[in-house]
Amino acid sequence: MKEARLEIEHLAKALESRKHEKLKTVLILGTKAGALFRNPKFFEDMSLLSPKSLVALSMTEQFREAFSILKAERNKSSLEDIKILLTSAIGNSMYATEDTCLAELVKQNIFNTIFSLNMDDLLYNAFIGHGMKYQHHFEDFALGSWQPDYTIQEIQSNKRPNVCQLIRLYNDEPAFIYSLNNNKVYEENSRIIRLLLEKWQVRELLIVDWEVAWDNILPSALPASLQTIWFVNEDEAAKDAFLAQYQSCEHFYYIQTTYKSFCNGLRTLIAPDFNSLHDFSRTALHDINALRSEVRKLQASIEQSKKSLEMQSAPQKSSIHTLKNSDIAPKNKMKTDVLLATTTPIETKAVLELFPGYKEITIREKIYFDLGLTNNLQVVLTQQMHMGSNGTAGSHISIKEAIEALSPLYVIMIGIAFGIDANKHDIGDILVSQYIQNYDPQRVSSGPDNKPKFENRGERVTASTLLLSRFMAAQYSPPDTWPGKPPKIDFGLILSGSKLVDHEDYRDALRSLASDAIGGEMEGIGLYHAASDKKVHWIVVKAICDWADGNKHVQKNDRQQLAAKNAAIFTLHVLRRSNLKHHRRPKQKTTDK
C-alpha cells in the first residue's frame, strides 16, 4: 500500500474529474462530523458520569472517553435513561454552514452515496433546508438496529443518476444504544456496508472524521478490493489507528483538516458562486417557514369554506348525504401512499372525524375511505370486518387485500389496546410498536409441582425503522389539542394474539412470557405478515382503553373513544410533519385541514 499526504485542492480536482467521468464517489461520515461531537452539553453530561476528570483531555480524547462511559452505562442503566441523555444532546442541534456546504456539493453531483455513522438528522435536515427535494435530489435510508433484506434490496435497486443516497447506520438513539456491546448488531451492520460496497463495485472511498472508538465498525466493513482511500481527519493518531486495522487498498491519501474546513474548502473550490443559507439570519428563516405554514393553513381553510358553501347552495333532495357516482364507482386498483387500518367502528369514527372531507370509494367490491392529501401523501382508510388476525375477515387477509388494491408505501394500524402496568400508564396513553410479538404459539411443559409451565414460541418482529424514526421524532413536539389530558407516548413491545384478554391472571401470565411488553392487542401480528409479504413499511399505533383485568366493561365506551382519538390524532400529527416519500402524481390541492 502506498501512503501519501494530500492537500484539499488536489482532492477537489480528483472529485471533479470523477464527476465528469461519471464515476461513483462514496463518502463515509464518521461520528466526529455529527451532532454529539459538536454539542458542549454532551461533554458536560459525560463529565458528570466519568470517574476521572476530562478537563485536561482534548475534545477527541473526551469524545472517546464518552463512548467508554456509554458502554459501561449500557450494562447498568436502562435503555430509557441513556436515550434521554443522548436525546437531550441531539434534540436541539441544528445543522451548520458546513452541512449546508456538503448539501451543495451533493447538489453539484460530487457525491453519489453518503454513509453516515451518526444517529442524528443533521445532514437530512441540511438537505431539506437547502431546498433539496426528497427523491429528486436524494433518497434517505435509515438502517436502525435490525434491517430486513428487502430494504437492502431497495437501496440497491433505487440507484438513479444524479440522486444521492443518504444511508444512515442508526435511524435514532435507541438503535445506537441497542448496538452497544451487541456483537450481532455490530456484525450485521458491518455486513450491510460491505455488501453494498461490493455490490456497487466501489473502488475509491472518501472517509471523513472517522473516530477509532465510535466508528470501530468501519475497517472490518470495507472490502479488500478497494484501490484508493482518501482519509480526512485533523487527528493524525486517528489515521494511524485506522491503518493499523485496514491496509488492503493500493493507495491511501491523508488530508489533515477538520470536517468544517473540508466542507467549506471543497465548496469554495468546486462551487465558488454558492452562498450558504447560513449567511442569512436563522431567525429570519424560521419566521419565513412559520409564515409559509400559516399561509398553507389559511389556503386550506378557504378551500374548505368554499366546499361547504357549495354543498349548502346545492339542491338538497334529502337529509341523508349521498355520494357522487364518481365517488362510489367501482375501481379495480388505485395508488395510495398511506393506508390507515382500523378494526372497530369507534376506531374508524375517530379517524374520519379528523378528515371531514373524506369520500367512500369502491375497489374490488370493497368500501374504502379516501381521506385526501395530507402533506402531499395520499391517505386511505380501511376497516376490517372482524377483530383478530386470523380468518378471511382478520387483519392478515384484509390488509393483504387492501395492499394489493391500493399499493400503499406505508400501512399504519390505529386503534385501541390493553395496558399492562397501571402504575406506568394511564387510560388514553399511546403505545407505538417498536416490536410486535405473537403470544399464541406456546410450549406447555411440566413446571414445579407438576403445574403447567408456559413458554412463548411466538415470533418477535420489528416495525419499520423508517416509520419508527418519524413517530419517535414527533413525540418531542406533540399536538397541542387532545380530547383529554395530553397522553404519554411510549415505544416498545406490543403483544398480539387471537384472544380478547380480560382476565388479570391471564394478562399477568402473558407478561411473564415477555417482561418488556407495554401492552397488547389482536391485529398487529396479522398486519406484520401482510405488510412483510408485500414489502411495505408498517407500524401499530394504539392507545390504552383498559387493563385486561376483568373490568373492560367499566366506562367502556368513553375509554375506547378517548384511546381511539388519541391514537388517530398522534398519527395524523406525524403524517403532517414527516417528510415521507410518496408515489409520483400530478400536482393536486391539499384537502386536509
Side-chain angles (χ1 to χ4, degrees):
M1 183 187 72
K2 296 180 180 179
E3 180 184 346
R5 287 180 177 269
L6 205 66
E7 297 299 325
I8 197 166
E9 291 81 4
H10 297 97
L11 176 61
K13 290 180 180 179
L15 293 176
E16 283 194 287
S17 175
R18 292 180 61 79
K19 170 188 172 181
H20 296 316
E21 294 175 18
K22 297 183 179 180
L23 297 174
K24 178 192 295 289
T25 299
V26 177
L27 168 64
I28 296 182
L29 288 179
T31 48
K32 284 176 61 179
L36 284 180
F37 187 72
R38 306 180 197 180
N39 196 322
K41 185 181 185 305
F42 176 67
F43 290 94
E44 292 174 7
D45 293 341
M46 289 295 99
S47 65
L48 296 176
L49 295 173
S50 177
K52 59 184 180 181
S53 174
L54 305 182
V55 178
L57 302 179
S58 66
M59 281 192 65
T60 298
E61 290 170 333
Q62 290 185 48
F63 195 51
R64 195 170 305 150
E65 179 65 20
F67 183 76
S68 299
I69 294 170
L70 287 176
K71 292 190 71 173
E73 289 295 317
R74 180 69 179 93
N75 293 327
K76 59 184 180 182
S77 301
S78 69
L79 185 148
E80 189 65 25
D81 290 338
I82 304 177
K83 175 186 170 185
I84 291 172
L85 189 154
L86 293 174
T87 302
S88 66
I90 293 176
N92 296 323
S93 299
M94 294 183 65
Y95 61 90
T97 304
E98 53 265 37
D99 304 307
T100 310
C101 289
L102 182 56
E104 176 62 21
L105 292 171
V106 170
K107 217 171 182 179
Q108 297 282 340
N109 298 320
I110 297 299
F111 300 116
N112 310 97
T113 303
I114 299 177
F115 284 92
S116 175
L117 306 183
N118 295 282
M119 66 191 87
D120 58 67
D121 294 325
L122 289 188
L123 197 54
Y124 178 92
N125 293 335
F127 285 2
I128 298 298
H130 189 49
M132 295 171 64
K133 295 181 180 179
Y134 181 70
Q135 290 191 312
H136 179 71
H137 294 110
F138 75 101
E139 294 271 8
D140 176 51
F141 300 96
L143 299 182
S145 56
W146 173 87
Q147 193 62 30
D149 288 339
Y150 71 81
T151 305
I152 303 303
Q153 295 167 5
E154 185 181 359
I155 295 174
Q156 295 174 352
S157 62
N158 269 275
K159 195 61 186 171
R160 291 181 290 150
N162 302 327
V163 178
C164 177
Q165 289 185 309
L166 173 59
I167 304 171
R168 295 180 285 166
L169 193 61
Y170 306 110
N171 63 306
D172 53 22
E173 296 91 336
F176 167 75
I177 298 167
Y178 184 69
S179 71
L180 287 171
N181 303 332
N182 192 324
N183 289 332
K184 288 186 177 180
V185 175
Y186 180 96
E187 293 170 359
E188 178 63 12
N189 288 340
S190 178
R191 182 189 72 85
I192 291 171
I193 296 174
R194 184 167 53 253
L195 174 71
L196 293 173
L197 293 178
E198 289 176 344
K199 184 73 175 180
W200 292 329
Q201 297 181 339
V202 174
R203 296 293 179 264
E204 289 80 24
L205 196 61
L206 175 57
I207 302 172
V208 178
D209 265 0
W210 178 81
E211 206 290 313
V212 63
W214 290 81
D215 307 327
N216 192 43
I217 182 179
L218 187 59
S220 63
L222 300 182
S225 56
L226 290 177
Q227 295 176 353
T228 302
I229 290 180
W230 294 288
F231 192 86
V232 179
N233 206 301
E234 65 174 328
D235 184 10
E236 191 160 357
K239 181 259 296 182
D240 296 334
F242 181 86
L243 289 178
Q245 300 181 57
Y246 185 88
Q247 293 188 346
S248 297
C249 61
E250 297 178 15
H251 302 279
F252 184 91
Y253 298 109
Y254 176 49
I255 299 97
Q256 189 171 20
T257 189
T258 63
Y259 169 67
K260 182 175 183 178
S261 297
F262 161 77
C263 294
N264 293 345
L266 277 187
R267 189 271 300 171
T268 301
L269 293 165
I270 294 175
D273 297 330
F274 160 68
N275 289 317
S276 169
L277 286 176
H278 283 261
D279 292 338
F280 302 98
S281 167
R282 285 188 180 184
T283 303
L285 286 175
H286 289 167
D287 290 344
I288 290 170
N289 289 333
L291 285 171
R292 286 175 176 169
S293 177
E294 291 301 319
V295 169
R296 284 195 294 268
K297 289 179 182 178
L298 182 60
Q299 288 174 335
S301 178
I302 292 171
E303 289 296 323
Q304 189 65 33
S305 298
K306 286 181 179 178
K307 289 184 179 180
S308 298
L309 289 172
E310 290 172 358
M311 292 179 64
Q312 291 174 12
S313 61
Q316 300 286 326
K317 291 188 177 181
S318 74
S319 60
I320 301 175
H321 173 65
T322 56
L323 297 166
K324 298 177 182 178
N325 290 335
S326 59
D327 293 339
I328 60 174
K331 300 178 182 179
N332 186 50
K333 196 177 178 80
M334 70 174 283
K335 275 192 174 183
T336 188
D337 301 310
V338 180
L339 174 64
L340 304 181
T342 57
T343 302
T344 69
I346 285 180
E347 294 169 345
T348 301
K349 289 177 182 177
V351 175
L352 294 181
E353 285 176 359
L354 301 176
F355 297 88
Y358 74 88
K359 298 184 295 185
E360 291 182 14
I361 55 175
T362 303
I363 301 177
R364 300 182 183 181
E365 300 183 350
K366 185 174 179 179
I367 298 294
Y368 296 93
F369 300 95
D370 183 354
L371 307 182
L373 290 179
T374 294
N375 195 17
N376 210 26
L377 295 165
Q378 181 69 48
V379 185
V380 173
L381 170 68
T382 181
Q383 179 187 331
Q384 66 186 68
M385 301 306 295
H386 296 292
M387 292 189 295
S389 297
N390 302 324
T392 56
S395 61
H396 184 185
I397 299 299
S398 296
I399 294 176
K400 183 178 180 181
E401 292 175 348
I403 292 174
E404 291 173 349
L406 300 167
S407 303
L409 300 172
Y410 321 95
V411 183
I412 304 173
M413 181 169 281
I414 300 174
I416 58 179
F418 68 81
I420 286 179
D421 189 349
N423 295 319
K424 182 179 179 182
H425 293 120
D426 292 321
I427 296 296
D429 282 356
I430 299 169
L431 310 179
V432 183
S433 65
Q434 192 165 2
Y435 311 95
I436 288 285
Q437 182 158 357
N438 186 358
Y439 65 75
D440 280 334
Q442 297 178 4
R443 180 179 185 270
V444 183
S445 58
S446 295
D449 301 324
N450 275 335
K451 291 183 178 180
K453 178 183 177 183
F454 297 91
E455 297 176 33
N456 196 330
R457 293 293 184 91
E459 59 197 328
R460 177 184 291 216
V461 295
T462 305
S464 161
T465 54
L466 186 149
L467 289 176
L468 263 175
S469 67
R470 268 52 176 189
F471 277 84
M472 284 185 169
Q475 69 180 314
Y476 303 113
S477 56
D480 296 325
T481 305
W482 299 96
K485 70 175 184 178
K488 178 181 179 181
I489 303 167
D490 203 0
F491 297 79
L493 171 66
I494 297 178
L495 299 172
S496 185
S498 59
K499 300 175 181 64
L500 181 62
V501 182
D502 194 25
H503 191 284
E504 187 174 5
D505 290 341
Y506 186 76
R507 180 205 67 190
D508 291 342
L510 289 179
R511 189 179 185 184
S512 68
L513 298 176
S515 60
D516 55 340
I518 59 175
E521 51 83 72
M522 300 177 66
E523 293 81 27
I525 196 67
L527 164 64
Y528 155 70
H529 284 296
S532 61
D533 287 346
K534 297 296 182 180
K535 310 296 187 287
V536 174
H537 294 284
W538 66 273
I539 200 166
V540 175
V541 184
K542 296 194 175 185
I544 296 173
C545 66
D546 61 67
W547 305 108
D549 57 359
N551 296 307
K552 197 179 286 286
H553 61 283
V554 177
Q555 297 180 318
K556 178 179 178 179
N557 193 62
D558 291 343
R559 289 180 169 185
Q560 289 188 353
Q561 285 186 14
L562 174 65
K565 287 180 179 179
N566 282 353
I569 287 170
F570 185 56
T571 299
L572 177 57
H573 174 68
V574 172
L575 295 180
R576 281 174 169 167
R577 72 187 298 277
S578 298
N579 198 332
L580 292 169
K581 70 177 182 179
H582 53 76
H583 288 297
R584 291 185 178 181
R585 67 176 72 88
K587 291 186 177 179
Q588 302 179 37
K589 293 182 179 179
T590 302
T591 59
D592 73 309
K593 292 182 90 174

